[in-house]
Amino acid sequence: MAWKTFKKLNIVDVTALTYLLGTLFLVLLVAPSHGAFLQVALTHLTFSAAIFVLASLVSPTSNPVLRFARYWYPVVLFAYLYPETGLINQMFIDHWLDPWVIGLDRAIFGVEPATVLPEVFRSRFFVEYFHATYFAYYLYLPVIGGLIYFLRDEDRFRRFMFTVSFAFFCYYLCFIIVPIVGPVACRDGFFTGFWPSVMDNVYALDNPGAAFPSSHVGIAIVVLILAFRSFRLAGLVMLPFVVSLA
């Protein structure tokens, strides 16, 4: 019975299980006394068990709701695991590496873009526009993924979800190993308006870290490329927003 369940795992399942169990092993190996160990252990084992249950129960003849859960569950993982990186991102290096990144910025650009660009684009239009394009990031995965899932086929969607999952988990590993807070704290009280307030509320849900490299930019570009492959018009609509996000 167990072997039959293993055979039903697809590439998305294997990718998710590799990350869930791999990071759990890392925490156990490097920091078993870490304050978040119990949370990581319980959630990662629960998610892993749920993946096996979905793989064993859901088939091509299952009802649409179960099949939807089978294909879309990684989105729940992404939403949970992103802030989780902030709980365990100082296992390997016990201090923030922001001074190194700031020094890299200065070496490349001669200035810190995070302090210069907000002054250059200080007008009300640009403040609202760039914050809106940043928020649009949260729509790319469900919209493009939904188009592929409902208008193309499940096999193409599975390839889409594997590509996105692999990219997300690579970023999450980077966040855990390379702890960087980023310039979010510098924005306190600096921006006002509708979209800035929306993003302030989004940022309030995060734990410190998950800043470098930018998964928002990276995942947006991945989804943009996949959009062009399946829905060229959707890719063209996304293009200016993704460039603005970057």
Side-chain angles (χ1 to χ4, degrees), residues 209-231:
F212 181 85
S214 173
S215 60
H216 286 68
V217 174
I219 297 298
I221 292 173
V222 168
V223 176
L224 175 66
I225 293 170
L226 297 173
F228 269 111
R229 290 182 176 180
S230 295
F231 297 97

Side-chain angles (χ1 to χ4, degrees), residues 95-106 112 179-181:
H95 58 279
W96 300 112
L97 297 178
D98 291 74
W100 172 73
V101 180
I102 292 172
L104 192 61
D105 267 349
R106 288 173 175 167
E112 293 178 45
I180 295 174
V181 177

Side-chain angles (χ1 to χ4, degrees), residues 1-10 13 52 55 70:
M1 185 68 177
W3 175 244
K4 289 183 178 180
T5 300
F6 274 106
K7 289 178 67 176
K8 289 184 177 181
L9 296 175
N10 60 41
D13 301 330
F52 277 103
R70 174 82 175 91

Side-chain angles (χ1 to χ4, degrees), residues 50-105:
I51 292 172
F52 277 103
V53 170
L54 283 173
S56 63
L57 294 181
V58 181
S59 68
T61 58
S62 299
N63 72 66
V65 174
L66 279 176
R67 290 208 313 275
F68 184 87
R70 174 82 175 91
Y71 283 100
W72 282 87
Y73 76 82
V75 176
V76 177
L77 286 181
F78 304 152
Y80 171 79
L81 293 172
Y82 180 80
E84 184 198 70
T85 62
L87 299 177
I88 55 177
N89 59 8
Q90 293 193 346
M91 291 190 307
F92 297 94
I93 300 174
D94 63 358
H95 58 279
W96 300 112
L97 297 178
D98 291 74
W100 172 73
V101 180
I102 292 172
L104 192 61
D105 267 349

Side-chain angles (χ1 to χ4, degrees), residues 23-223:
T23 49
L24 175 56
F25 176 75
L26 280 177
V27 178
L28 179 61
L29 184 67
V30 177
S33 61
H34 194 284
F37 174 74
L38 184 60
Q39 177 181 333
V40 172
L42 289 175
T43 54
H44 285 220
L45 291 175
T46 300
F47 281 131
S48 298
I51 292 172
F52 277 103
V53 170
L54 283 173
S56 63
L57 294 181
V58 181
S59 68
T61 58
S62 299
N63 72 66
V65 174
L66 279 176
R67 290 208 313 275
F68 184 87
R70 174 82 175 91
Y71 283 100
W72 282 87
Y73 76 82
V75 176
V76 177
L77 286 181
F78 304 152
Y80 171 79
L81 293 172
Y82 180 80
E84 184 198 70
T85 62
L87 299 177
I88 55 177
N89 59 8
Q90 293 193 346
M91 291 190 307
F92 297 94
I93 300 174
D94 63 358
H95 58 279
W96 300 112
L97 297 178
D98 291 74
W100 172 73
V101 180
I102 292 172
L104 192 61
D105 267 349
R106 288 173 175 167
I108 295 172
F109 302 106
V111 294
E112 293 178 45
T115 60
V116 174
L117 291 177
E119 293 292 349
V120 175
F121 297 100
R122 188 69 168 152
S123 74
R124 169 61 55 198
F125 170 79
F126 282 121
V127 167
E128 293 286 354
Y129 172 74
F130 282 117
H131 281 82
T133 60
Y134 199 92
F135 179 81
Y137 158 83
Y138 299 103
L139 305 177
Y140 297 151
L141 177 55
V143 171
I144 301 302
L147 288 173
I148 295 173
Y149 183 81
F150 291 108
L151 301 182
R152 289 293 188 256
D153 57 72
E154 291 180 348
D155 184 60
R156 183 178 298 202
F157 178 77
R158 185 166 53 246
R159 294 198 300 270
F160 167 86
M161 191 57 76
F162 161 71
T163 307
V164 173
S165 297
F166 185 82
F168 262 120
F169 296 145
C170 285
Y171 277 109
Y172 292 171
L173 280 175
C174 288
F175 299 154
I176 294 170
I177 297 171
V178 185
I180 295 174
V181 177
V184 171
C186 300
R187 59 181 283 106
D188 289 348
F190 193 83
F191 298 109
T192 58
F194 176 77
W195 287 112
S197 65
V198 169
M199 287 311 307
D200 285 339
N201 290 325
V202 172
Y203 289 135
L205 301 175
D206 284 346
N207 290 314
F212 181 85
S214 173
S215 60
H216 286 68
V217 174
I219 297 298
I221 292 173
V222 168
V223 176

